[in-house]
Amino acid sequence: MKEIVKTFQEAQSILIVSHSRPDGDAIGSMLALGLSLQRLGKNVVYYNQDAVPFNLIFLEQSKSIQQSIPNKHFDVTCIIDCNAPIRVSADFGKFKNYKKLIIIDHHVPHHSPCGDLIYIDPQAPAAGVLIYRIIQAMGINITSSIAEALYTTLLVDTGCFRYSNTTDEVFKLAQELVIKGAKPWKVSNFLYDSFPRSRLKALELALKTLEISSCGRYASIFLSRKTMEKLKINYEIVEGFINYPRSIDSVIVAVQFKEVGRNLYRISLRSKGNFDVSKIASLFDGGGHCNAAGLELSGSLSKVKKQLYDRIEFSLGELRD
Amino acid sequence: MKEIVKTFQEAQSILIVSHSRPDGDAIGSMLALGLSLQRLGKNVVYYNQDAVPFNLIFLEQSKSIQQSIPNKHFDVTCIIDCNAPIRVSADFGKFKNYKKLIIIDHHVPHHSPCGDLIYIDPQAPAAGVLIYRIIQAMGINITSSIAEALYTTLLVDTGCFRYSNTTDEVFKLAQELVIKGAKPWKVSNFLYDSFPRSRLKALELALKTLEISSCGRYASIFLSRKTMEKLKINYEIVEGFINYPRSIDSVIVAVQFKEVGRNLYRISLRSKGNFDVSKIASLFDGGGHCNAAGLELSGSLSKVKKQLYDRIEFSLGELRD
């Protein structure tokens, strides 16, 4: 980390990027680092392939994030919350306009990461925690905007302080960020209480599709393209719906089917305890973590369901043994 | 508070009670205090008129809470999370089998409370915070069971760290409780991910009743007795549904009408930011806090709605001025 701090301090122009379809940890970490480096007089540019989600645009400088790769040369390029340029965007793998590449992440790398300086800590509850440590090491004062961005990363990646990565360190950092000016109710309000009213109609329709297996241990909901089109909403708006089947007492595995094309379904899996859904996802070329994973399947909905349910039943059977 | 600590230390038998229809703050506070006093060798009895909600029975000693007033004499009776015996139960006003009455609460009292020793701090985010302070002052070691009970009070009364009462002190205490053995994921799982499946059907039906005012600033849902009877669920199961109208971007005040009798409605109010719903509730003999309050109104549903909406519109008008 010392090397990273030194490199940031010596650099003048810095490009900060993160993975496509960015979440609160990606955006919050990018902005917290950028706002901090600007305080040292650095020239900061942000890039993300996709637009900032509607509920994160309240963060300072979120509108400065560009959606095209800048045609400039940088002293440093910093990839946050993922560890491979390909996860940033298909084109980003070819981007070489920098002297040094820094990678800051909390995901276990699939392959050896390619950065000049690498700071990966899979124990960190959010990439924002790593950014916080770097800001501290650089001796930069945390302004209320930086605190707000960092608080957002904590909130999102701990599932609002609900996942098992909610440690005492998380609460200690949350306390400090509140002292520095982050307002929990304000951040929560933007993130989780500023939905368009159409979301509740979508939820009502999604709940209508609820299916619970005869054993009661897995349950699913389905979001059709027809529903999305009728309500004029995108899939960002229905984020978190999978928590509803997961909220049932007997349920260990929750499934959400999203129709993303003709006979094409994006499937999210969430589990409780130590039932590892990433193993199921990886059988279908998907991936993720123990309690949260995703995959895509093609075919008719009934065929796709059968394929997945068979696999879930098999894994649940193993659990029982 | 010193007097209260001294009284607890000198007492041998202590009755701990809280308000009817207890929530996580009431139950968690009762148990945290009781478990602590037992560590000093005290004889503790718990009383609550109503049963412990299903999602709180995981708390240690929750099964010891009696639903009838004990026919015994106590050195001390302690009322927690409300400040009038009548709020405990109709009969409890007549109960005088104690030497001293202690009241520990964080609600603003309507009338001068009748206890011998009174510790009311309306600034406290939860009654559990006051219990924590007393446990600290008594020098009692916080066990993991006590930590879990106190963590529950924080979680419930800050709306999972989302309301404006989520201060840096809340996070500092959460940190300490996690160090002492409270597991955030475990408590959250019992509280918010262990619902019977009928809850999702009730949610679907409740969302169907969603009404949004023409100004977009208040919204309501309605739960009828017919729905409850059809699904064979009680009102405990639908706890938290008011957060759905509250989740809409334009909404400042969320309202939930529950039909609890013929032409009788129990009404919950939730607000965002510093819009004080307890002021509205108190006009109708209800009460609560800035962001969470409740009241009862009788009459036809349309009459009840008009009465309340007029009042909300008036207060929203004042906000604008």
Side-chain angles (χ1 to χ4, degrees):
Chain A
M1 193 169 81
K2 267 187 190 169
E3 270 299 299
I4 291 178
V5 167
K6 201 171 151 243
T7 305
F8 278 138
Q9 282 165 339
E10 287 169 3
Q12 189 46 44
S13 60
I14 298 159
L15 174 66
I16 300 174
V17 304
S18 187
H19 57 79
S20 56
R21 285 191 276 132
D23 59 1
D25 193 20
I27 299 293
S29 295
M30 287 172 73
L31 297 175
L33 180 62
L35 289 163
S36 301
L37 290 171
Q38 284 169 352
R39 291 183 67 81
L40 296 183
K42 310 297 179 188
N43 184 4
V44 171
V45 176
Y46 306 103
Y47 161 66
N48 197 291
Q49 176 191 272
D50 295 311
V52 175
F54 77 99
N55 54 359
L56 292 169
I57 52 173
F58 76 98
L59 290 172
E60 196 178 318
Q61 289 198 347
S62 65
K63 290 188 183 89
S64 312
I65 300 178
Q66 304 177 12
Q67 280 175 258
S68 53
I69 300 173
N71 187 15
K72 277 175 66 179
H73 191 276
F74 296 91
D75 295 333
V76 169
T77 287
C78 181
I79 297 179
I80 304 179
D81 201 30
C82 64
N83 52 59
I86 191 71
R87 286 277 292 118
V88 176
S89 68
D91 294 339
F92 199 73
K94 291 171 235 149
F95 179 75
K96 299 285 173 207
N97 285 346
Y98 50 79
K99 286 185 205 137
K100 275 196 178 166
L101 180 66
I102 296 176
I103 289 175
I104 302 170
D105 191 19
H106 70 134
H107 295 86
V108 180
H110 282 253
H111 308 286
S112 179
C114 61
D116 299 300
L117 293 167
I118 294 164
Y119 178 30
I120 294 181
D121 178 0
Q123 300 299 315
V129 172
L130 308 179
I131 300 300
Y132 167 78
R133 290 181 197 155
I134 288 168
I135 295 170
Q136 288 288 94
M138 291 196 288
I140 298 166
N141 183 35
I142 293 178
T143 63
S144 60
S145 296
I146 297 170
E148 210 164 76
L150 290 174
Y151 186 85
T152 299
T153 74
L154 279 190
L155 198 64
V156 168
D157 265 25
T158 63
C160 296
F161 306 107
R162 281 163 79 160
Y163 298 158
S164 56
N165 61 357
T166 310
T167 58
D168 56 306
E169 189 199 359
V170 166
F171 284 126
K172 184 170 187 283
L173 181 49
Q175 180 202 359
E176 186 177 335
L177 296 174
V178 173
I179 291 170
K180 297 286 188 189
K183 289 184 184 64
W185 68 266
K186 184 189 158 192
V187 177
S188 290
N189 184 47
F190 277 110
L191 257 78
Y192 305 113
D193 293 317
S194 298
F195 290 114
R197 55 184 76 180
S198 52
R199 184 178 192 261
L200 294 186
K201 181 46 85 178
L203 178 57
E204 185 193 325
L205 297 175
L207 289 174
K208 263 202 179 116
T209 71
L210 177 73
E211 283 181 351
I212 304 171
S213 65
S214 55
C215 65
R217 305 213 289 170
Y218 60 97
S220 73
I221 53 168
F222 166 57
L223 291 153
S224 70
R225 280 204 291 174
K226 213 172 118 190
T227 295
M228 299 289 110
E229 281 161 16
K230 196 177 120 196
L231 298 174
K232 294 187 183 113
I233 58 178
N234 57 28
Y235 287 108
E236 207 175 81
I237 303 293
V238 301
E239 192 66 46
F241 280 13
I242 193 168
N243 289 322
Y244 293 94
R246 192 182 171 279
S247 74
I248 299 170
D249 46 9
S250 64
V251 167
I252 296 170
V253 191
V255 186
Q256 181 175 276
F257 298 94
K258 289 188 219 170
E259 188 183 17
V260 291
R262 196 177 144 70
N263 279 339
L264 184 64
Y265 298 91
R266 189 171 297 148
I267 300 165
S268 305
L269 302 172
R270 295 287 183 280
S271 66
K272 291 179 183 168
N274 48 19
F275 186 86
D276 191 348
V277 282
S278 76
K279 281 187 187 162
I280 294 176
S282 68
L283 289 171
F284 301 100
D285 287 327
H289 305 282
C290 172
N291 296 128
L295 63 140
E296 280 193 1
L297 280 175
S298 59
S300 69
L301 182 59
S302 60
K303 196 190 126 204
V304 161
K305 277 185 176 174
K306 191 176 172 349
Q307 222 180 331
L308 186 70
Y309 290 167
D310 281 353
R311 192 59 232 181
I312 291 173
E313 293 222 352
F314 182 81
S315 299
L316 285 168
E318 280 184 326
L319 192 72
R320 207 170 324 194
D321 295 338
Chain B
M1 192 169 81
K2 267 187 190 169
E3 270 299 298
I4 291 178
V5 166
K6 200 171 153 242
T7 305
F8 277 138
Q9 280 165 338
E10 287 170 1
Q12 190 45 45
S13 61
I14 298 158
L15 175 66
I16 299 174
V17 304
S18 187
H19 57 80
S20 57
R21 287 187 279 127
D23 59 3
D25 192 21
I27 298 293
S29 294
M30 288 172 72
L31 297 174
L33 179 62
L35 289 163
S36 302
L37 291 171
Q38 284 169 351
R39 291 183 67 81
L40 297 183
K42 310 298 179 188
N43 183 6
V44 172
V45 176
Y46 306 103
Y47 162 66
N48 197 293
Q49 176 192 273
D50 295 310
V52 174
F54 76 100
N55 55 359
L56 292 168
I57 51 174
F58 76 97
L59 290 172
E60 195 177 320
Q61 289 199 348
S62 64
K63 291 189 181 89
S64 312
I65 300 177
Q66 303 177 13
Q67 280 176 257
S68 54
I69 299 172
N71 188 16
K72 278 174 65 179
H73 191 277
F74 296 91
D75 295 334
V76 168
T77 287
C78 181
I79 297 179
I80 303 179
D81 200 32
C82 64
N83 52 60
I86 190 73
R87 286 275 293 120
V88 176
S89 67
D91 294 341
F92 199 73
K94 291 171 234 147
F95 179 76
K96 299 286 174 205
N97 283 348
Y98 51 80
K99 286 185 204 138
K100 275 194 178 169
L101 180 65
I102 295 176
I103 289 176
I104 302 170
D105 191 19
H106 70 136
H107 296 85
V108 179
H110 282 251
H111 309 287
S112 180
C114 61
D116 300 300
L117 294 167
I118 294 163
Y119 178 28
I120 295 180
D121 178 0
Q123 300 300 315
V129 172
L130 307 180
I131 300 301
Y132 168 78
R133 290 180 197 157
I134 289 168
I135 294 171
Q136 287 289 93
M138 291 196 288
I140 298 165
N141 183 34
I142 293 178
T143 63
S144 60
S145 297
I146 297 170
E148 209 163 77
L150 290 175
Y151 186 84
T152 300
T153 74
L154 280 191
L155 199 63
V156 168
D157 264 26
T158 63
C160 296
F161 306 107
R162 281 162 79 159
Y163 298 158
S164 57
N165 60 357
T166 310
T167 58
D168 55 307
E169 190 199 358
V170 166
F171 284 125
K172 185 169 187 282
L173 180 49
Q175 182 203 359
E176 186 176 335
L177 296 174
V178 173
I179 291 170
K180 297 287 186 189
K183 289 183 184 65
W185 66 267
K186 184 189 158 192
V187 177
S188 289
N189 185 48
F190 276 111
L191 258 77
Y192 305 114
D193 292 316
S194 300
F195 291 113
R197 57 183 76 180
S198 51
R199 185 177 193 262
L200 294 186
K201 181 45 86 177
L203 178 57
E204 184 193 325
L205 297 175
L207 289 174
K208 266 205 177 111
T209 71
L210 178 72
E211 283 181 351
I212 304 171
S213 65
S214 55
C215 65
R217 306 215 290 171
Y218 59 96
S220 74
I221 53 169
F222 167 57
L223 290 153
S224 70
R225 279 207 290 177
K226 214 172 118 189
T227 294
M228 300 287 108
E229 280 160 17
K230 197 178 120 195
L231 297 175
K232 293 186 183 119
I233 58 177
N234 57 28
Y235 288 107
E236 207 174 81
I237 304 292
V238 301
E239 193 69 43
F241 280 13
I242 194 169
N243 289 322
Y244 293 94
R246 191 180 172 280
S247 74
I248 299 170
D249 45 9
S250 64
V251 167
I252 296 170
V253 191
V255 186
Q256 181 175 274
F257 298 94
K258 290 188 219 171
E259 187 183 15
V260 291
R262 197 176 144 70
N263 280 338
L264 185 63
Y265 297 91
R266 191 170 297 149
I267 300 164
S268 304
L269 301 172
R270 296 287 182 279
S271 65
K272 291 178 184 168
N274 47 21
F275 186 86
D276 190 348
V277 283
S278 75
K279 281 188 187 162
I280 294 176
S282 69
L283 290 172
F284 301 100
D285 287 327
H289 307 283
C290 172
N291 296 126
L295 63 140
E296 280 193 2
L297 281 176
S298 59
S300 67
L301 183 58
S302 59
K303 196 189 126 202
V304 160
K305 277 185 177 174
K306 188 175 172 352
Q307 223 179 330
L308 186 69
Y309 290 168
D310 281 353
R311 193 58 231 181
I312 291 173
E313 294 223 350
F314 182 81
S315 299
L316 284 170
E318 280 183 326
L319 192 72
R320 207 170 324 193
D321 296 339

